[in-house]
């Protein structure tokens, strides 16, 4: 029994034999099958006690003692955030390491718990007990276990249906049970004493033998007739306040009588407990409220427990330390929130305010900063609520603007949504006029904008706030101060900020949310927030065994709807403008065959009623399973209208939602060819449809094919306007276009802008069509009128276009994630604003009713919402030409190669690029923020005889940049005697300050092409080793150069034949170690030892490769520069030589390698690492501490460091402490995007990051 509530006074409970036996019988059914048991009944009926007794009785049976482990989880009165905290505690108790995405998602954490319990191989079965469930919507998230007991007062039909076994708690004791309870408190009395006393019998009758009331009366230990008479009169008194609607006797007076029997001081103390939320109340909070010591508080609570006024419980943590807390029955809490007789002049609201004000005052009197209070599981979760309930605006403002408090709350709750919720509460309470309102609004807005970067593995609020672009902002300045203070007090702490970036600045979105979970999730849809509901619908885990459709409230982040769709692909999702209706299109996914069958079956649901809606066609009802529409769209206004395209794509159907079902209004005529799309436009006054006017696959010239575009009046459903537009256009037609290749560009979509204009997205250009001038009936007429009725709005690759619902704004998204927005003014489209989106943004749409753009990001499963209400930036620019777009400008420079390094501890980057004039240029940047730039021309790439490949190298200890050129020479007059076909490999050293200045040049010539792999500088003799791979013979070639004059010191050619695979395992200034796998499947290592003027080779014994084996090798790096290398051996072989691995064998065996591969254990003093044959860092360690990583070497900084191990994955920088091998920090800076490589300076106070776009940024560590 784990986590069971333990009461020091459990002897005051009786066993209700029949009730407990029912529960035991239910438990026995768990032996044979998975089952959910619901124990339900009104509050105070003894459900919890009976379940505990039943489990104890069940475990007394010999066959059950070792089979079951029972986990007790107290849920209580809580919202979704509270439930999330409970499930995180469950995961920690089961020793499950959750990702931060899982920690912040109810569905994800539920799935992870379920998968863990399903896959466990332990010899016992886990049974979970969820006590005191208040919210029926929480039940699905608790069904992660196959066997569970739910205890709840909820007894709705829907609650009963979802459980296999339902057991109702008797609302009354039997008469004999009542006497037993009374005797528990007065064991010296006989049963006849209670049975023959008229006052007692009448009192029992008045209380209707209700368990809670009987326990309260018994706990008074009434000694004589006069006291029994007094109790009866008190409870029967006519001045009693009305009872709860759930109970038809005066329960209030029973509570009041029990409290009146307490000493006056204890009465006042107990009444103050009404301030607390329902659920666990820690002793620390009660101690502060009562202004008493913990021991004194505990003693008083034991007295109250003895009077059955509350339950004093304790639980034991993993360190066997006991934590005491109390639980007060929710009915008693309600009673304590009513003013007592001495405060009758106060209303209930004023009395609750008084209680909360007293709590806040007591805490303030302690003189502690708000962030320094203990994390007791209650304080950080609820103190904002108490301050608001106390109507203490100054305290609310102080707490909400305390970065330290918000950071402490983040650590306590492990969920950033709790901060968003608290800040929103504060804003709603304070309004706009409080002195702290603007600060709170800024904090709330920033966390809403960039919360994505808190959910993706980084819950350090201070590091998060250091990402604020404005370094003069109070939020950033406060976060910087805290970071520096923490670093000074703890040298291992790591905080960083962005110092410089070449990356384009991503525009500051207004809000950001994580809504999806995989690349297959559908594009989201959003309701019209001007109509009251701000909801978004999306799919979760699409194309998986656990696909879900979810609707989230973007104001509260509350999940409004979640439906699991097993073995289903969600093709599309829709939501009505009012947010009252949703729809999704389902397709079956056959997992065994990995086959998708898209059936276009739609489901329509009412969010208000949480039921699926039926469709009615005339007098007959369409079965929901037959809603096989090609497409479906809702109106974006309050109209409950739906438009669909028939399954054969030949008719448009118009429907209306009546409140109970969806009724067909009318159907269009049958089209000859397929209808592609139909949707509401112009504030739902009209419908826009477009259809093909040709059969797919016919051989008609594509330039003569066209689409029919129609506008329908929404009310009459009559065709209002019609036009035909070509399916494709090319630059041979008189459209003033230049696509550069002569190929046609195809029409992707049509957007309605106004009564005068349509937008046509031709993929390579966007055309603005003045369709009110169109009177032609054939596509030739369109071609002939094109120059008069069309204007090229934009030329370039377009992924998506969107128009606002009122037609006042247009947005174009380029293939590189840039959004160009335009505003419509007096018949003109004016360039409005350019937005740089996150990489891999795949969808844009205007938020209905607002000048905001929603974007969806595939890589992170997130959405961003941008506000575009700023002023027009180019009022004289009516359209965007290709010359004016950054999209085209970006093609003027093509990066060939780039390198970065800290030279003399200052950042330096060297980039080789090709200009649009075919010039090969070298650009060198250096300085703290790469502020100094110098360039030179290396070559002209236009000549075919001058085709070079280029790379460059920077060295930490040399103020130069080395350029490595390689080209094939066809010059028969070339002086080299290698025949006509040969390659020149030129190494060129240039000054960093002035790259025009060539310090030296060295040339080598080969009879085959070569590829530069590595360059290693040796400070001890000022030489550099250049390692090349000769690509035809597959030989390694080493060249040692004198870096003072470029002279070749020595060369080494490894002519090993028959190599299948080779990898550089380790390199430093003394040794290069390479792994070889031969064509004969023989494994070995070669150590290339580098001396002053010679390179020597040593090879290990070969080992025969076995695909079923796990091979290991130990490499010892000595301070002298010499290496000690074992043979590659099968760790599970009988011939395994244990002694060759010395003391490292225990660590190696502890890794328990699961994948068949070769692992290299490399030790350098106390530090060690493990890598495999695909150059992944498997693990990094120090002493007996290690961490499994699985990181590509390219993504690592210097592997042998004295402070931190720094690596990157995606847009995140992971910082590990090299001594403890614990994750110290995750740096996520929105602006820098995905990082490919990182390098640090000597003190690890600055880092250069290289993005996949070959752009650099500099990260500075705060010290």
């Amino acid at each position: 029994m784990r986590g069971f509530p333990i009461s020091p006074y459990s002897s005051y409970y009786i066993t209700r034999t029949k009730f407990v036996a029912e529960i035991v019988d239910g438990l026995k059914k768990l032996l044979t099958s998975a089952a959910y048991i619901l124990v339900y009944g009104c509050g105070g009926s003894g459900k919890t006690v009976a379940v505990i007794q039943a489990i104890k009785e069940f475990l007394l049976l010999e066959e059950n003692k070792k089979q079951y482990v029972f986990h007790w989880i107290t849920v209580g009165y809580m919202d979704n955030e509270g439930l999330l905290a409970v499930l995180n505690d469950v995961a920690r108790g089961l020793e499950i390491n959750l990702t931060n995405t899982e920690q912040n998602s109810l569905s994800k954490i539920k799935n992870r718990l379920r998968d863990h319990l399903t896959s466990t191989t332990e010899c016992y079965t886990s049974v979970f007990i969820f006590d005191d469930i208040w919210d029926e919507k929480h039940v699905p998230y608790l069904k992660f276990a196959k066997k569970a007991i739910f205890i709840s007062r909820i007894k709705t039909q829907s609650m009963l249906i979802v459980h296999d076994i339902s057991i109702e708690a008797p609302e009354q004791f039997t008469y004999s049970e009542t006497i037993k309870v009374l005797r528990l408190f007065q064991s010296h009395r006989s049963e006849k004493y209670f049975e023959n006393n008229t006052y007692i019998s009448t009192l029992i009758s008045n209380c209707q033998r209700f368990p809670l009331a009987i326990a309260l009366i018994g706990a008074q230990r009434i000694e004589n007739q006069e006291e029994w008479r007094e109790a009866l009169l008190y409870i029967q008194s006519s001045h009693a306040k009305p009872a709860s609607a759930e109970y038809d006797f005066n329960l209030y007076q029973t509570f009041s009588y029990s409290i009146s029997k307490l000493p006056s001081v204890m009465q006042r103390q107990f009444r103050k407990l009404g301030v607390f939320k329902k659920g666990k109340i820690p002793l620390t909070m009660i101690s502060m409220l009562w202004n008493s010591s913990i021991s004194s508080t505990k003693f008083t609570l034991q007295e109250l427990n003895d009077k059955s006024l509350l339950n004093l419980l304790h639980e034991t943590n993993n360190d066997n330390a006991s934590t005491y807390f109390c639980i007060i029955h929710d009915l008693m809490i309600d009673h304590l929130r009513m003013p007592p007789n001495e405060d009758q002049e106060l209303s209930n609201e004023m009395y609750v305010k008084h209680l909360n004000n007293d709590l806040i005052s007591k805490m303030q009197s302690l003189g502690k900063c708000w962030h320094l209070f203990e994390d007791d599981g209650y304080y950080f979760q609820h103190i904002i609520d108490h301050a608001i309930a106390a109507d203490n605006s100054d305290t609310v403002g102080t707490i909400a603007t305390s970065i330290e408090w918000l950071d402490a709350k983040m650590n306590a709750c492990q969920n950033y949504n709790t901060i968003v919720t608290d800040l929103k509460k504060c804003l709603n309470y304070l309004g706009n006029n409080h002195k702290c309102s603007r600060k709170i609004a800024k904090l709330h807005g920033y966390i809403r904008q960039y919360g994505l970067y808190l959910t993706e593995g980084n819950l350090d609020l201070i590091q998060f706030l250091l990402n604020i672009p404005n370094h003069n902002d109070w939020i950033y300045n406060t976060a910087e101060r805290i970071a520096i203070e923490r670093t000074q007090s703890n040298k291992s702490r790591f905080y960083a900020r962005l110092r410089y970036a070449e990356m384009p600045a991503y525009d500051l979105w207004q809000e950001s949310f994580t809504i999806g979970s995989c690349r297959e999730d559908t594009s989201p849809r959003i309701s019209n927030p001007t109509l009251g509901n701000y909801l978004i619908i999306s799919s979760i885990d699409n194309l998986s065994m656990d696909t879900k459709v979810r609707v989230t409230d973007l104001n509260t982040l509350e999940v409004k709807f979640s439906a699991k769709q097993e073995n289903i692909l969600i093709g599309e999702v829709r939501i009505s403008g009012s947010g009252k209706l949703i729809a999704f299109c389902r397709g079956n996914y056959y997992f065994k065959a990995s086959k998708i069958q898209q059936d276009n079956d739609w489901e329509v649901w009412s969010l208000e009623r949480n039921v699926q809606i039926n469709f009615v066609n005339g007098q007959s009802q369409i079965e929901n399973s037959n809603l096989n529409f090609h497409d479906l769209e809702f109106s974006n206004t309050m109209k409950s209208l739906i438009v669909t395209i028939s399954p054969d794509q030949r008719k448009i159907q118009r429907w209306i939602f009546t409140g109970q079902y969806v009724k067909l209004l009318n159907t269009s005529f049958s089209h000859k060819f397929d209808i592609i799309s139909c949707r509401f436009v112009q504030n739902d006054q009209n419908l826009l449809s477009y259809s093909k006017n040709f059969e797919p696959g016919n051989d008609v010239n594509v330039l003569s094919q066209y689409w029919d575009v129609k506008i329908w009046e929404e009310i009459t459903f009559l065709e209002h306007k019609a036009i035909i537009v070509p399916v494709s256009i090319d630059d041979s037609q008189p459209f003033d276009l230049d696509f550069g290749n002569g190929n046609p560009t195809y029409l992707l979509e049509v957007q309605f802008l106004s009564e005068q204009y349509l937008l046509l997205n031709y993929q390579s250009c966007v055309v603005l069509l003045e369709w009110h001038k169109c009177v032609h009936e054939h596509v030739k007429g369109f071609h002939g009128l094109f120059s008069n009725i069309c204007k090229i709005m934009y030329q370039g690759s377009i992924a998506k276009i969107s128009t606002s619902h009122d037609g006042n704004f247009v947005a174009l998204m380029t293939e590189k994630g840039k959004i160009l927005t335009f505003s419509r003014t007096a018949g003109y489209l004016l360039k409005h604003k350019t937005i740089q989106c996150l990489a891999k943004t795949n969808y844009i749409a205007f938020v209905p009713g607002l000048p905001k753009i929603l974007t969806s990001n595939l890589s992170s499963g997130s959405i961003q919402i941008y506000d575009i209400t700023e002023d027009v930036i180019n009022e004289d620019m009516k359209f965007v030409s290709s010359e004016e777009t950054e999209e085209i400008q970006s093609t003027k420079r093509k990066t060939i190669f780039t390198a970065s390094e800290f030279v003399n501890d200052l950042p330096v980057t060297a980039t080789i690029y090709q200009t649009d004039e075919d010039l090969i240029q070298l650009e060198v940047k250096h300085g703290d923020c790469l502020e100094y730039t110098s360039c030179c021309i290396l070559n002209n790439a236009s000549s075919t005889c001058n085709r070079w490949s280029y790379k460059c190298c920077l060295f930490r200890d040399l103020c130069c940049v080395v350029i490595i050129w390689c080209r094939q020479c066809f010059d028969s007059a070339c002086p080299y005697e290698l025949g006509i076909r040969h390659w020149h490999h030129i190494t060129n050293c240039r000054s960093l300050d002035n790259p025009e200045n060539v310090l030296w040049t060295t040339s080598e010539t080969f009879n085959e092409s070569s590829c530069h792999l590595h360059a290693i500088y040796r400070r001890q003799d000022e030489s550099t080793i250049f390692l090349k791979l000769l690509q035809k013979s597959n030989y390694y070639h080493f060249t040692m150069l004198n870096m003072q004059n470029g002279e070749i010191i020595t060369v080494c050619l490894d002519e090993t034949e028959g190599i299948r695979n080779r990898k550089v395992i380790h390199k430093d200034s003394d040794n290069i170690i390479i792994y070889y796998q031969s064509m004969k499947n023989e494994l070995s290592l070669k150590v290339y030892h580098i001396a002053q003027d010679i390179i020597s080779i040593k090879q290990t014994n070969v080992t025969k490769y076995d695909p079923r084996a796990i091979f290991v090798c130990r490499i010892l790096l000595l301070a002298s520069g010499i290496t000690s290398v074992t043979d590659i051996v099968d760790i599970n072989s009988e011939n395994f030589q244990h002694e060759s691995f010395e003391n490292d064998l225990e660590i190696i065996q502890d890794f328990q390698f699961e994948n068949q591969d070769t692992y290299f254990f490399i030790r350098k003093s106390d530090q060690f690492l493990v890598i495999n044959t695909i150059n992944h860092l498997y693990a990094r360690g120090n002493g007996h501490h290690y961490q499994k990583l699985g990181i590509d070497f390219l993504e690592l900084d210097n592997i042998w460091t004295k402070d931190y191990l720094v690596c990157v994955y995606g847009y995140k920088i992971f910082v590990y402490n090299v001594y403890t091998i614990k994750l110290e920090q995750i740096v996520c800076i929105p602006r820098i995007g995905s990082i490919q490589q990182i390098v640090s300076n000597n003190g690890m106070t600055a880092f250069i990051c290289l993005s996949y776009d070959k752009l650099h940024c500099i990260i500075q560590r705060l010290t």
Side-chain angles (χ1 to χ4, degrees), residues 163 196 207 251 286 304 365 459 627 657 659 670 715 818 860 900 957 1017 1058 1118 1192 1230:
H163 293 85
N196 297 333
C207 293
L251 186 60
I286 300 174
L304 295 170
S365 68
L459 282 174
L627 299 182
F657 177 56
S670 181
I715 297 177
K818 185 171 294 184
S860 60
S900 56
D957 299 311
Y1017 177 67
L1118 303 175
D1192 194 296

Side-chain angles (χ1 to χ4, degrees), residues 802-968:
S802 181
T803 58
S804 62
H805 201 54
D806 57 9
N808 288 332
F809 292 97
V810 176
L812 316 178
M813 186 176 75
T814 70
E815 289 186 345
K816 293 191 176 180
K818 185 171 294 184
I819 299 176
L820 309 174
T821 66
F822 302 81
S823 64
R824 186 168 63 90
T825 305
Y828 293 106
L829 277 178
L830 308 179
K831 186 179 178 184
H832 185 70
K833 183 182 181 182
T834 300
I835 299 170
Q836 178 64 54
C837 298
L838 290 173
K840 298 181 182 177
T841 295
N842 66 312
Y843 174 80
I844 63 167
F846 277 91
V847 176
L850 295 177
K852 295 182 179 181
I853 294 176
L854 176 147
T855 68
S856 176
N857 187 265
L858 272 177
S859 60
S860 60
S862 66
I863 63 165
Q864 287 74 43
I865 296 177
Y866 298 87
D867 193 327
I868 60 167
T869 54
E870 284 90 347
D871 294 335
V872 175
I873 59 172
N874 258 326
E875 296 192 4
D876 59 340
M877 184 186 297
K878 295 181 176 62
F879 302 103
V880 179
S881 64
S882 59
E883 291 80 11
E884 291 161 336
T885 62
E886 251 181 67
E887 191 79 21
I888 302 300
Q889 289 178 0
S890 65
T891 65
K892 293 185 178 181
R893 169 171 165 165
K894 177 183 177 182
T895 300
I896 298 173
F897 193 84
T898 187
S900 56
E901 185 57 273
F902 284 88
V903 179
N904 293 330
D905 230 28
L906 288 175
V908 178
T909 65
T911 303
I912 301 173
Y913 61 90
Q914 182 175 342
T915 68
D916 57 343
E917 292 89 7
D918 280 339
L919 295 177
I920 305 299
Q921 292 193 333
L922 169 67
E923 177 186 74
V924 178
K925 294 182 177 181
H926 60 99
D928 284 335
C929 294
L930 301 182
E931 61 269 32
Y932 304 109
T933 303
S934 51
C935 297
C936 69
I937 298 174
L938 297 179
N939 209 340
N940 190 325
S942 59
S943 174
T944 55
C945 62
N946 235 348
R947 300 295 174 130
W948 295 80
S949 64
Y950 301 88
K951 289 191 177 181
C952 57
C953 302
L954 293 167
F955 302 96
R956 189 162 294 222
D957 299 311
L958 289 175
C959 289
C960 65
V961 55
V962 173
I963 312 298
I964 300 165
W965 312 18
C966 184
R967 75 172 176 89
Q968 185 177 0

Side-chain angles (χ1 to χ4, degrees), residues 208-250:
Q208 297 185 3
R209 301 197 300 271
F210 186 64
L212 177 59
I214 297 300
L216 284 170
I217 293 169
Q220 304 313 309
R221 297 172 175 80
I222 299 173
E223 291 290 337
N224 53 57
Q225 285 287 94
E226 184 57 33
E227 289 182 353
W228 281 112
R229 176 178 174 275
E230 178 189 339
L232 177 60
L233 292 175
Y234 194 106
I235 292 173
Q236 287 182 331
S237 58
S238 58
H239 65 272
K241 294 191 177 181
S244 167
E246 190 177 353
Y247 307 91
D248 55 4
F249 64 93
N250 204 336

